[in-house]
Amino acid sequence: DPNASLLLDLSTAGWQQLAAASYAHHLAPLLHWQERRLLPAGAPAPVAASLRQAYMNSALAALLRERNLRAVLGALNGAGVVPALSKGIALAYFVYPEPACRPMGDIDLWV
């Protein structure tokens, strides 16, 4: 994977800058997922710990969001309404490698 070679060449300062940018753009959970998948040694320990925490926070939020989404979809379907997932929630399940990699603040549905 060409991305792995880019990450392997990063210095500690480079990792810190990349992590800061990933937080600014809400991509820290995805960066953790990529770093864990691509690199046997991983990022420097403090950066890896920070990214892992961001991922774990996002994973917990994704589990809660999925529970709530299932309840809402069940209620809507029970009422004969079939909504479509839109924007971030659709991306989380159909584009990102796992929902925890796509942090979000709300769920958009087309009804």
Side-chain angles (χ1 to χ4, degrees), residues 18 64 78 104:
L18 179 60
L64 294 172
M104 66 189 81

Side-chain angles (χ1 to χ4, degrees), residues 29-76:
L30 180 59
L31 179 58
H32 169 73
W33 187 88
Q34 287 285 64
E35 175 255 343
R36 190 182 67 200
R37 184 179 71 87
L38 294 174
L39 300 177
V47 174
S50 175
L51 292 174
R52 183 174 44 256
Q53 186 62 53
Y55 176 84
M56 296 305 289
N57 291 344
S58 188
L60 178 58
L63 287 172
L64 294 172
R65 188 173 41 253
E66 183 173 339
R67 186 182 81 178
N68 292 335
L69 180 61
R70 286 180 186 276
V72 167
L73 291 177
L76 289 171

